[in-house]
Amino acid sequence: MKDAKDQAVRTIKDEHRTISAVLHGLRYLAQQSLDAKVQPDFAVFRAMIYYIDEFPEKLHHPKEEKILFARLLQRMPEAAALIGELHEEHLAGARLIRELERELAYFEENRPAGAASFKAAVDAYADFHWNHMRKEEGKVLPLAGERLLPEDWEAISTAFAANKDPIAGVPEKEFETLFSRIASIAPDPIGFGSRWKKAPT
Ligand SMILES: [Fe+2]
Ligand SMILES: [Fe+2]
Protein backbone atom coordinates (compact mmCIF):
# COMPACT_ATOMS: atom_id res chain seq x y z
CA MET A 1 0.00 0.00 0.00
CA LYS A 2 2.91 2.27 0.68
CA ASP A 3 4.00 1.29 -2.80
CA ALA A 4 0.78 2.62 -4.32
CA LYS A 5 1.31 5.94 -2.53
CA ASP A 6 4.98 6.19 -3.51
CA GLN A 7 4.18 5.27 -7.06
CA ALA A 8 1.41 7.86 -7.41
CA VAL A 9 3.53 10.63 -5.88
CA ARG A 10 6.45 9.65 -8.09
CA THR A 11 4.23 9.79 -11.19
CA ILE A 12 3.17 13.37 -10.45
CA LYS A 13 6.73 14.44 -9.67
CA ASP A 14 8.16 12.70 -12.75
CA GLU A 15 5.65 14.48 -14.95
CA HIS A 16 6.62 17.79 -13.34
CA ARG A 17 10.27 17.05 -14.08
CA THR A 18 9.46 16.37 -17.73
CA ILE A 19 7.53 19.64 -18.07
CA SER A 20 10.36 21.47 -16.27
CA ALA A 21 12.94 20.03 -18.67
CA VAL A 22 11.05 21.40 -21.67
CA LEU A 23 10.49 24.76 -19.94
CA HIS A 24 14.17 25.00 -19.14
CA GLY A 25 15.06 24.29 -22.78
CA LEU A 26 12.51 26.77 -24.04
CA ARG A 27 13.80 29.48 -21.76
CA TYR A 28 17.41 28.86 -22.75
CA LEU A 29 16.66 28.97 -26.48
CA ALA A 30 14.46 32.06 -26.16
CA GLN A 31 17.38 33.75 -24.39
CA GLN A 32 19.76 32.70 -27.20
CA SER A 33 17.37 34.15 -29.75
CA LEU A 34 17.82 37.61 -28.27
CA ASP A 35 21.06 37.65 -30.21
CA ALA A 36 19.91 39.10 -33.53
CA LYS A 37 22.54 37.08 -35.39
CA VAL A 38 21.15 33.73 -34.21
CA GLN A 39 18.86 32.03 -36.69
CA PRO A 40 16.37 30.03 -34.62
CA ASP A 41 14.74 26.88 -35.89
CA PHE A 42 11.11 27.71 -35.20
CA ALA A 43 10.09 24.06 -35.49
CA VAL A 44 11.92 23.51 -32.19
CA PHE A 45 9.96 26.28 -30.46
CA ARG A 46 6.71 25.00 -31.92
CA ALA A 47 7.37 21.42 -30.76
CA MET A 48 8.26 22.62 -27.24
CA ILE A 49 5.18 24.83 -26.93
CA TYR A 50 2.96 22.08 -28.30
CA TYR A 51 4.40 19.76 -25.65
CA ILE A 52 3.91 22.09 -22.69
CA ASP A 53 0.37 22.74 -23.91
CA GLU A 54 -0.78 19.21 -24.69
CA PHE A 55 1.03 17.10 -22.13
CA PRO A 56 -0.51 18.85 -19.09
CA GLU A 57 -3.87 19.21 -20.79
CA LYS A 58 -4.22 15.61 -21.95
CA LEU A 59 -2.26 13.63 -19.44
CA HIS A 60 -1.17 15.54 -16.38
CA HIS A 61 -4.04 17.77 -15.29
CA PRO A 62 -6.62 14.97 -15.61
CA LYS A 63 -4.55 12.90 -13.17
CA GLU A 64 -4.52 15.79 -10.75
CA GLU A 65 -8.03 17.12 -11.07
CA LYS A 66 -10.10 14.04 -11.71
CA ILE A 67 -8.15 11.62 -9.58
CA LEU A 68 -5.87 13.05 -6.90
CA PHE A 69 -7.58 16.36 -6.12
CA ALA A 70 -11.02 14.74 -6.25
CA ARG A 71 -10.00 12.16 -3.63
CA LEU A 72 -8.39 14.77 -1.44
CA LEU A 73 -11.52 16.87 -1.56
CA GLN A 74 -13.61 13.91 -0.44
CA ARG A 75 -11.40 13.31 2.60
CA MET A 76 -10.71 16.94 3.30
CA PRO A 77 -13.44 19.37 2.23
CA GLU A 78 -11.47 22.21 3.83
CA ALA A 79 -8.91 21.83 1.02
CA ALA A 80 -11.51 23.20 -1.42
CA ALA A 81 -9.98 26.68 -1.60
CA LEU A 82 -6.52 25.35 -2.43
CA ILE A 83 -7.88 22.92 -5.00
CA GLY A 84 -10.02 25.66 -6.54
CA GLU A 85 -6.94 27.85 -6.82
CA LEU A 86 -5.00 25.12 -8.63
CA HIS A 87 -7.93 24.52 -10.96
CA GLU A 88 -7.96 28.22 -11.85
CA GLU A 89 -4.23 28.03 -12.51
CA HIS A 90 -4.76 25.14 -14.93
CA LEU A 91 -7.16 27.36 -16.88
CA ALA A 92 -4.86 30.37 -16.66
CA GLY A 93 -1.96 28.22 -17.90
CA ALA A 94 -3.87 27.33 -21.06
CA ARG A 95 -4.54 31.04 -21.67
CA LEU A 96 -0.87 31.91 -21.19
CA ILE A 97 0.06 29.27 -23.76
CA ARG A 98 -2.15 31.01 -26.34
CA GLU A 99 -0.23 34.20 -25.55
CA LEU A 100 3.02 32.31 -26.06
CA GLU A 101 1.83 31.04 -29.44
CA ARG A 102 0.90 34.56 -30.50
CA GLU A 103 4.30 35.89 -29.47
CA LEU A 104 6.05 33.08 -31.32
CA ALA A 105 4.11 33.80 -34.51
CA TYR A 106 4.93 37.50 -34.16
CA PHE A 107 8.61 36.71 -33.60
CA GLU A 108 8.75 34.45 -36.64
CA GLU A 109 7.32 37.21 -38.82
CA ASN A 110 9.28 40.02 -37.18
CA ARG A 111 12.81 38.93 -36.64
CA PRO A 112 14.74 40.00 -34.63
CA ALA A 113 12.30 42.60 -33.27
CA GLY A 114 9.89 40.04 -31.81
CA ALA A 115 12.57 38.18 -29.84
CA ALA A 116 12.27 40.30 -26.69
CA SER A 117 8.51 39.98 -26.28
CA PHE A 118 8.69 36.26 -27.06
CA LYS A 119 11.38 35.84 -24.40
CA ALA A 120 9.25 37.80 -21.92
CA ALA A 121 6.24 35.56 -22.62
CA VAL A 122 8.37 32.44 -22.18
CA ASP A 123 9.72 33.72 -18.85
CA ALA A 124 6.24 34.64 -17.66
CA TYR A 125 4.89 31.21 -18.53
CA ALA A 126 7.86 29.35 -17.03
CA ASP A 127 7.67 31.31 -13.75
CA PHE A 128 3.94 30.81 -13.57
CA HIS A 129 4.19 27.08 -14.17
CA TRP A 130 7.09 26.55 -11.81
CA ASN A 131 5.14 28.31 -9.04
CA HIS A 132 2.16 26.12 -9.79
CA MET A 133 4.17 22.91 -9.59
CA ARG A 134 5.87 24.09 -6.40
CA LYS A 135 2.45 24.65 -4.85
CA GLU A 136 1.35 21.15 -5.81
CA GLU A 137 4.49 19.52 -4.50
CA GLY A 138 4.76 21.73 -1.43
CA LYS A 139 1.10 21.82 -0.39
CA VAL A 140 -1.11 19.25 -2.10
CA LEU A 141 1.17 16.24 -2.03
CA PRO A 142 2.02 16.65 1.68
CA LEU A 143 -1.68 17.12 2.54
CA ALA A 144 -2.61 14.06 0.51
CA GLY A 145 0.20 12.17 2.20
CA GLU A 146 -1.27 12.99 5.60
CA ARG A 147 -4.96 12.66 4.90
CA LEU A 148 -5.53 9.99 2.26
CA LEU A 149 -6.03 6.42 3.32
CA PRO A 150 -4.28 3.37 1.91
CA GLU A 151 -7.37 2.48 -0.14
CA ASP A 152 -7.34 5.97 -1.64
CA TRP A 153 -3.77 5.51 -2.81
CA GLU A 154 -4.64 2.11 -4.27
CA ALA A 155 -7.47 3.69 -6.24
CA ILE A 156 -5.30 6.64 -7.32
CA SER A 157 -2.49 4.41 -8.45
CA THR A 158 -4.89 2.20 -10.45
CA ALA A 159 -6.55 5.23 -12.02
CA PHE A 160 -3.15 6.73 -12.91
CA ALA A 161 -2.21 3.50 -14.68
CA ALA A 162 -5.51 3.54 -16.61
CA ASN A 163 -4.84 7.15 -17.63
CA LYS A 164 -1.85 5.87 -19.65
CA ASP A 165 -3.87 4.02 -22.22
CA PRO A 166 -5.49 5.37 -25.38
CA ILE A 167 -8.91 5.59 -23.71
CA ALA A 168 -7.59 8.81 -22.15
CA GLY A 169 -7.44 10.27 -25.66
CA VAL A 170 -3.72 10.50 -26.23
CA PRO A 171 -1.52 7.64 -25.12
CA GLU A 172 1.47 8.39 -22.95
CA LYS A 173 3.67 6.78 -25.58
CA GLU A 174 2.89 9.58 -28.00
CA PHE A 175 4.29 12.12 -25.56
CA GLU A 176 7.40 10.03 -25.00
CA THR A 177 7.92 10.08 -28.77
CA LEU A 178 7.37 13.82 -28.91
CA PHE A 179 9.78 14.38 -26.01
CA SER A 180 12.45 12.34 -27.87
CA ARG A 181 11.80 14.34 -31.01
CA ILE A 182 12.31 17.59 -29.11
CA ALA A 183 15.57 16.22 -27.71
CA SER A 184 16.72 15.23 -31.19
CA ILE A 185 15.94 18.55 -32.91
CA ALA A 186 16.77 21.00 -30.09
CA PRO A 187 20.26 22.41 -30.52
CA ASP A 188 23.17 21.55 -28.27
CA PRO A 189 23.35 21.90 -25.22
CA ILE A 190 19.56 21.46 -24.82
CA GLY A 191 19.28 18.56 -27.25
CA PHE A 192 21.31 16.63 -29.77
CA GLY A 193 20.72 18.91 -32.77
CA SER A 194 23.44 21.15 -34.11
CA ARG A 195 23.80 24.65 -32.75
CA TRP A 196 21.73 27.32 -34.42
CA LYS A 197 23.59 29.18 -37.10
CA LYS A 198 24.70 32.74 -36.62
CA ALA A 199 24.45 35.15 -39.48
CA PRO A 200 27.87 36.55 -40.47
CA THR A 201 28.53 39.99 -39.08
FE1 LIG B 1 -1.39 21.18 -11.83
FE1 LIG C 1 1.03 19.28 -11.70
Side-chain angles (χ1 to χ4, degrees):
M1 259 167 274
K2 187 166 187 307
D3 277 357
K5 177 178 171 179
D6 288 349
Q7 211 171 20
V9 169
R10 202 177 326 120
T11 299
I12 293 289
K13 289 187 173 177
D14 283 351
E15 292 185 357
H16 285 174
R17 298 294 89 82
T18 311
I19 297 166
S20 290
V22 179
L23 285 176
H24 173 71
L26 184 58
R27 194 171 215 172
Y28 180 91
L29 296 175
Q31 170 71 34
Q32 272 214 326
S33 305
L34 290 177
D35 179 345
K37 292 196 288 299
V38 167
Q39 299 176 313
D41 175 357
F42 284 87
V44 175
F45 283 135
R46 276 193 294 272
M48 286 176 154
I49 292 174
Y50 178 82
Y51 189 92
I52 55 169
D53 183 24
E54 289 284 308
F55 178 80
E57 196 67 33
K58 297 271 169 43
L59 217 67
H60 183 67
H61 295 163
K63 281 195 188 81
E64 293 177 340
E65 299 223 11
K66 296 197 184 115
I67 303 169
L68 178 64
F69 296 177
R71 279 271 160 175
L72 183 60
L73 202 54
Q74 275 172 10
R75 299 284 178 205
M76 204 188 160
E78 64 272 32
L82 174 62
I83 287 171
E85 202 179 302
L86 294 166
H87 170 70
E88 285 305 318
E89 288 178 3
H90 287 168
L91 301 177
R95 286 195 297 271
L96 281 175
I97 292 273
R98 303 284 86 80
E99 180 68 27
L100 211 48
E101 286 171 340
R102 273 195 298 277
E103 291 295 350
L104 179 64
Y106 178 80
F107 176 30
E108 199 166 1
E109 293 297 314
N110 301 276
R111 228 165 42 85
S117 50
F118 175 63
K119 165 77 167 53
V122 166
D123 286 345
Y125 182 81
D127 288 343
F128 166 83
H129 213 271
W130 274 319
N131 272 332
H132 175 76
M133 293 189 288
R134 253 195 303 273
K135 209 183 279 179
E136 289 175 338
E137 294 195 17
K139 291 185 176 174
V140 176
L141 293 179
L143 273 183
E146 271 169 37
R147 302 291 286 268
L148 295 183
L149 306 175
E151 58 263 38
D152 294 323
W153 289 110
E154 285 295 338
I156 289 168
S157 184
T158 307
F160 276 10
N163 186 237
K164 275 186 181 185
D165 68 34
I167 297 167
V170 178
E172 197 168 68
K173 202 113 201 71
E174 230 172 86
F175 285 109
E176 282 168 15
T177 307
L178 178 58
F179 190 82
S180 306
R181 191 178 111 75
I182 290 171
S184 69
I185 62 174
D188 172 60
I190 297 303
F192 306 112
S194 32
R195 285 187 181 236
W196 285 345
K197 289 192 187 64
K198 277 196 176 193
T201 42

